[in-house]
Structures are given as structure tokens and as C-alpha cells.
Amino acid sequence: MRYGGFALSVTTARVVGTLLTAATFPFLVRRLGVDVYGLWSYVVAVCSFTGLIANPGLTSYAVQQVAARRSAAFETVSDVLVLRLLAGGVAAVAVLVVASFEVRQDVRFLLKLYGVATVLTGGLSLDYLLASLELFHVQSFISVAQQSLYAVGIFTMVRSPKDVIWVPVSILVSSFLTSLIGWTFLWRAGYRFRFSIAPRRWVVIMVPSMHYAASSLMSNLYHRSGQVAVRWYLGEHALGLYAAAARLADVLRNFLSVTQTVLMPRMALRANSADALSRLTRIAASVLVLFGFPLAVGGIVTAPVVIPWLLGAQFKEAVHAFQWVAPYVLTAPAASLFAGTILYAMGRHRAYFISTVAGAVTAVVLCLTLPPLFGVAGACIAFVLGEFGVALCAFLLCPPPVRAAAKTPLLSVAVIASLVMGAVLWIVSRNHLPPLLLIALGCAVYAISWAAIGRNLLKREIAEFA
């Protein structure tokens, strides 16, 4: 019941957040247009790389330590804050250096503003602590509050491409205010951190942290290389189409990350118990296949109707891009499950790093070769296969009991039910049904298919989990 409450809390926050994103994302791309939205996504991609200097795996290490040892690891937080302060100064200089090479003045200004301010506000973030302490209700509240403040800023200030400056301002202000709320809650709840400067402990922290930092670099490579490659090879208009399609797929993927978010701290506590870890893996894998396949198939089939309705007629060219990128809603959660949840919770930072390297090599090589040959579709394929490389490598590096538990029997039924749903949607989509009705029909067909061919199997799985 307790973890059901956690899952409900996180799911509610994700649903509310996704609804806010579903409102702000189309509004933003419509107001900014294809080219300006593409440039903004490029700024975010570049700042994500310089942000690694400000946080070289430090919070990743703190999450695992606090999740595994709870209050006994609180001295780690003090050292992490000091190290992030020192690294943040270096990162701010790096942002200014990178921005000086940018040709366009507007992009250069956005890089300086967003890059430097992100370094400063990022040091105050405590989302990693709330998850480690299993304070999911507080984390959910802060997440909804942050996204609500961001949405208010977007809806009230952004009216045309010239107002792009208010996008980073809305992000930074909302993040700063909600971080202060979070720290206030922890203080009033009785959590006290022993702030001290102890350089002798920094080596112990930095060794695994650098592995996580390298892993974060690899993660940014397979997440962000597409933006850079598309701008270089295809131009800013194509970048806007690619960025919109990839962002929409990422919004859908967030629904499947709820289970992994809730289970990671428990996996860290039960890392030495093969039975408990296998059971948690089975739950996460079942949720992934149960909802991932219909999202991917449904996205591919309904894209010609949903994309223009959601993003506007100017993004009609992004339909084919989204169809190519739709499998990301499967490959990304799989990579997050095996690498970012299981290997990470077990503290296997070297295996985690190797998995991200596999994804980065896959994505970078494909980003350098496919876009010149196949355009935006090539970049989308590289984006999907980069995540698949992470998932496959991490799966092979997981312990045998975990690999066995991940082979859920729900997979075959989920594939069949999704294909049935896709066939029905493909037939009825010719009748020009409203998008919401089309989506509702797909959900109904998928549920009916499960009731017809997989009801007993699903009941047995639920009984085993209970």
C-alpha cells in the first residue's frame, strides 16, 4: 500500500506535468515557429554538455549513496554541495567560451543567459535527495509547482519568435523558487546536513562520480547529438522539425518512467537480495511492455492526424519524423530500466558507464552518417538506436537472475494486442475521425484485445506481484 501510494503520487504528478507539457509544448512551438524552436533546442543541447562540468556525476553518486544508506550518507551531501560550487565556477567560464564561437548574436545571448544561470540554479536543486529519501509526495508537489510556474511564464510572456528570451527565464525562475521550497521543507521536517569541508573525502566521492559524469556525457551524446548533426547537415528548419518530433516522443516516454522512479530506491536497498531484485525487475519490465508497445504502434499510425492537430499546420512535415522516432518510447524506457535503474541501484558504475558508451558510439556514428543520406529520418533512426544500444548492453551486463526476470510473459500478448490496435486505427483513420476520438478508440481496442487473449495471463502476473 505504501509503494502503491508512492506510485500514485508520482503518476499523478507525471500526468499533471504531462498535461501541462501537452499544453505548453504545442503553444510554444506554434508561437516560436519551426526555425526559432529548433535554435532553442540547440541551445538546450549545448548547455547540457557544459552542465556536465558543473555537475560531474556528483548528484548521481549522492543519489545512490543516500538511497542505500539514508541518513548515514548525509555527510556526502555536504561534500557534494562544496564540489558543485567549485565546479560551477569552471562551468560558467566554459559556457562563455563556447558562446564566443557562436555566429548568431541571438543564439550567443541565449547560450550565455541560460548556460550561466543554469549552473547557478542547478546547485540549489534537491530533486535527487527527495527521490533517495523516498519523499515522493514532496517531490511530486515540487514537480507540479515548478511546471505550473513555467507554464504561467510561457502562456503570459511568449507571443512571437521575438519572445524566446522568456523561455529560459521561465525555466530558471520556476526552478529557483521551487528549490527554495524544497530546502525549506527538508529543514522543517528535521533533516539536518552536517556542512563541512573535508578534502580527504573528495577522492572517495570523485572516483565513482567521474564514472557517472562520463556516463552522463555519453548520455548527452546519444540524446543531443541529433540536434547538432541536423543543424550542421540540414539547417535550422529541419532542426525544428526533428526537435519537435523528438520532444513529443520524450513526453510520451515520461509516462513509462514512473515505475522505475519509484522502484530505484527500493532496488538500491535490496541490491544484495537476488529474489527481491528479480521481483522488482519483473514488475518494471511488465509495466514497460504493457504500455510501451501500444504507445509506439499508436504513435506511428495516428501521427498524420495527431501531429498537425497538436503542433499546428506548420509542423505537418514533422509527421514522418515522428513516425520514425516513435519506437523511442520503447527503447528509452528499456535503457532507463536496465542501465539507469538496475545497474545504477546496484552501484555497478563501471557497467553503467560501459552501457552508456555503447549508446553514445551507436548514436554518434549514425548521426554522422545517416542524416546526410536520409535527412531528418536518419537523425530519428540514430536517436532511437542510440537508446537501443544502451538497453542491449546494460541487459547483457545485468546479473543472470535479473535478465531472466526481465523476460516477462506479457510481451507476446502486448505485441499482438498492439498490432490489432494499429490495424484498426489504420483502417478507421481514413474516415478522418477527430484526433481525441481516434486515440480513445485505440485505447478501447487495446483493452478489448487484452481482455480477449491475455486476461488470464495478466491475472496470474498480478497475483505473483501481490
Side-chain angles (χ1 to χ4, degrees), residues 405-418:
K407 298 175 182 178
T408 170
L410 301 182
L411 175 61
S412 58
V413 182
V415 172
I416 295 172
S418 298

Side-chain angles (χ1 to χ4, degrees), residues 425-444:
L425 290 176
W426 181 74
I427 294 172
V428 301
S429 62
R430 299 179 179 181
N431 297 325
H432 305 289
L433 294 178
L436 291 177
L437 181 59
L438 194 64
I439 295 171
L441 177 62
C443 295

Side-chain angles (χ1 to χ4, degrees), residues 276-461:
L277 191 59
S278 298
R279 184 170 180 271
L280 293 170
T281 300
R282 184 69 165 267
I283 295 174
S286 298
V287 172
L288 171 59
V289 301
L290 190 62
F291 297 101
F293 277 97
L295 275 176
V297 174
I300 294 172
V301 177
T302 62
V305 177
V306 173
I307 297 300
W309 167 72
L310 188 63
L311 304 184
Q314 59 183 330
F315 281 90
K316 189 175 182 179
E317 296 175 84
V319 168
H320 294 301
F322 181 75
Q323 289 176 321
W324 282 107
V325 85
Y328 174 83
V329 302
L330 271 172
T331 59
S336 178
L337 171 61
F338 295 114
T341 303
I342 298 174
L343 292 179
Y344 176 68
M346 297 177 69
R348 298 191 175 187
H349 51 268
R350 291 183 179 86
Y352 177 50
F353 172 64
I354 293 171
S355 301
T356 56
V357 169
V361 171
T362 302
V364 171
V365 170
L366 294 179
C367 281
L368 292 176
T369 55
L370 294 184
L373 297 175
F374 304 105
V376 175
C380 293
I381 294 171
F383 186 57
V384 172
L385 292 182
E387 296 282 356
F388 178 76
V390 179
L392 179 60
C393 184
F395 174 78
L396 296 175
L397 292 174
C398 284
V402 171
R403 295 201 300 269
K407 298 175 182 178
T408 170
L410 301 182
L411 175 61
S412 58
V413 182
V415 172
I416 295 172
S418 298
L419 293 177
V420 171
M421 178 197 70
V424 173
L425 290 176
W426 181 74
I427 294 172
V428 301
S429 62
R430 299 179 179 181
N431 297 325
H432 305 289
L433 294 178
L436 291 177
L437 181 59
L438 194 64
I439 295 171
L441 177 62
C443 295
V445 171
Y446 184 69
I448 293 171
S449 300
W450 260 102
I453 62 178
R455 179 177 54 189
N456 294 330
L457 176 61
L458 185 58
K459 286 182 178 179
R460 288 198 301 269
E461 286 294 296

Side-chain angles (χ1 to χ4, degrees), residues 16-30 151 154-155 310:
V16 174
T18 302
L19 290 176
L20 289 171
T21 302
T24 55
F25 172 60
F27 179 88
L28 189 62
V29 297
R30 288 168 182 262
I154 295 299
F155 287 136
L310 188 63

Side-chain angles (χ1 to χ4, degrees), residues 81-273:
L81 290 175
V82 174
L83 289 171
R84 287 199 67 178
L85 178 63
L86 297 175
V90 179
V93 175
V95 169
L96 297 177
V97 172
V98 172
S100 66
F101 291 98
E102 176 56 47
V103 179
R104 292 188 51 150
Q105 182 178 358
D106 53 348
V107 177
R108 185 163 60 247
F109 176 74
L110 287 173
L111 281 172
K112 291 179 180 179
L113 171 65
Y114 185 66
V116 175
T118 301
V119 169
L120 299 177
T121 58
L124 289 174
S125 174
L126 77 164
D127 187 66
Y128 64 98
L129 285 179
L130 297 176
S132 299
L133 295 170
E134 295 185 335
L135 297 173
F136 292 110
H137 300 312
V138 181
Q139 184 187 38
S140 298
F141 169 77
I142 289 178
S143 175
V144 172
Q146 192 273 328
Q147 291 172 309
S148 299
L149 290 172
Y150 165 74
V152 170
I154 295 299
F155 287 136
T156 57
M157 305 304 297
V158 179
R159 289 290 178 267
S160 69
K162 295 180 181 180
D163 298 324
V164 66
I165 182 63
W166 292 107
V167 180
V169 170
S170 299
I171 295 173
L172 297 168
V173 171
S174 60
S175 298
F176 177 75
L177 292 177
T178 51
S179 294
L180 291 181
I181 294 173
W183 280 108
T184 302
F185 172 83
L186 285 180
W187 183 263
R188 291 177 63 89
Y191 291 96
R192 299 292 185 266
F193 304 100
R194 295 178 290 275
F195 292 101
S196 63
I197 298 178
R200 65 182 182 278
R201 296 197 300 257
W202 292 357
V203 175
V204 178
I205 295 174
M206 289 305 298
V207 171
S209 292
M210 292 308 295
H211 283 82
Y212 291 128
S215 300
S216 297
L217 174 61
M218 298 300 107
S219 177
N220 274 285
L221 284 173
Y222 61 75
H223 274 114
R224 309 293 187 181
S225 294
Q227 276 89 342
V228 178
V230 171
R231 189 188 184 195
W232 284 354
Y233 288 129
L234 305 176
E236 293 167 0
H237 185 77
L239 174 60
L241 299 176
Y242 168 79
R247 175 60 180 151
L248 182 56
D250 197 50
V251 170
L252 294 176
R253 186 266 305 175
N254 283 335
F255 280 112
L256 299 177
S257 302
V258 174
T259 305
Q260 297 160 18
T261 301
V262 173
L263 293 181
M264 192 286 294
R266 183 57 46 177
M267 286 184 173
L269 284 174
R270 298 290 184 264
N272 295 324
S273 173

